[in-house]
Amino acid sequence: MATCERPLMKNKSFGALVLAMAVIAIGVIILRICCYQFEYDPKYYTVDYGRFNFFSYFTVQSNLYVCFYLFCLAFAVFGSAGAKRIAYHPMVRLTVMTYILVTGVVYCAGFPLGMSPPLSWDNFQHAMLASVQVLHHMIMPTFVFALFLLPPTDAIIRDKKLPLVAVYPLVYSIFSIVRGALTDPAFYPYPFFRPTFFWNILCKGRELHLPTAYLIMAPFVLAGVCLFPLIALGLAKLHNKRSEQLRRSLSPEVTTA
C-alpha cells in the first residue's frame, strides 16, 4: 500500500510535458491512418491489407497503451482521482513499460537480422513512416523508461502478480496465428507467427507438413511469451528499489535524523 506521493506528481509543468507527449503520440497514429498509402515491396510488403490493418501490430497496440497511460498520468497530475487510480497502479506501470520495451528491442534487433524495413526519408510519405517508426520504437520506450524510474508513489510490485504480464502477449500471439491461418490472403504481423518461418530454418529442404510446422512453432512462441514476465521481473526489482528510495527520501524519520 502506498504511503507517500512523489512531489513531482503535483508539478503542473511535468503534467503538461506528459500531456504533450500523449497528444503527439496519438496524433502521429491518426496522421499515419489518414495518410495511408500502400507501396509494393517484394521483401516486406506484397499485399495491401488496408489502412486499418495498422492496428494489428503489437507495436501500435503497445503505443496506444502508452498513450492511454500518458493521458491518465497527465490528468492525475492535474488532480483527477480516477486517473490517479490507473496511472499510479504499479501493475499498469509495469505492463506499459514491459510491452513498450519489448516493442523497441525487437524492432531495433530486427535491423541487423534484416527483419525490420530500412528507414527512408526521400519524400513526405517515407519521412512520415520513418518518423512513426522512430517515435514508436525508440523515443517512446526511452521516454516511458524515464517515467518508470520515477514511481509516483512508494507502492511496490508483488512477485506473485508478474505472470499477469504474459496474459496479453499470449492472447495476442494466439489471435495473430489463428487469424493468419483463417484469412485469405493470410496476414501475420510478424514472421515468427507464420508456421513456415521455423520450418524453413529447422527443416529446410523438406516438404512442408503444416501440423508439424505448428508443433515446431509452438514452443518458440511460448518461449517468447515467457520472456515478458522475465523482463517484468527485472523491471519490478528496479521499480521496487526506486519506490524504496522514494519512501526513504520522504520519510519523516529519515529527513529529521
Side-chain angles (χ1 to χ4, degrees), residues 2 4-10 14 69 73 76-77 84 86-90 93 147-155 239 243 246 250:
C4 58
E5 182 181 33
R6 184 179 295 275
L8 181 64
M9 297 303 117
K10 294 182 173 64
F14 172 70
Y69 170 72
L73 182 59
V77 173
K84 281 187 178 184
I86 297 173
Y88 287 13
H89 197 292
R93 301 184 70 252
L147 294 178
F148 190 76
L149 293 176
L150 300 170
T153 71
D154 63 342
H239 173 276
S243 294
L246 174 63
L250 298 180

Side-chain angles (χ1 to χ4, degrees), residues 12 30 33 91 117 174 223 236:
K12 298 302 188 290
I30 294 172
I33 294 298
M91 284 303 297
I174 294 174

Side-chain angles (χ1 to χ4, degrees), residues 19 23 25 55 74 99 124 160 165 181 187 231 239 247 249-250:
L19 182 60
V23 171
F55 294 105
Y99 298 162
F124 168 78
K160 65 181 181 180
V165 178
F187 172 77
I231 293 171
H239 173 276
R247 183 183 302 114
S249 68
L250 298 180

Side-chain angles (χ1 to χ4, degrees), residues 65 68-73 76 80-94 96 152:
Y65 190 23
F68 169 74
Y69 170 72
L70 293 181
F71 276 116
C72 287
L73 182 59
S80 170
K84 281 187 178 184
R85 285 194 292 271
I86 297 173
Y88 287 13
H89 197 292
M91 284 303 297
V92 172
R93 301 184 70 252
L94 180 64
V96 168

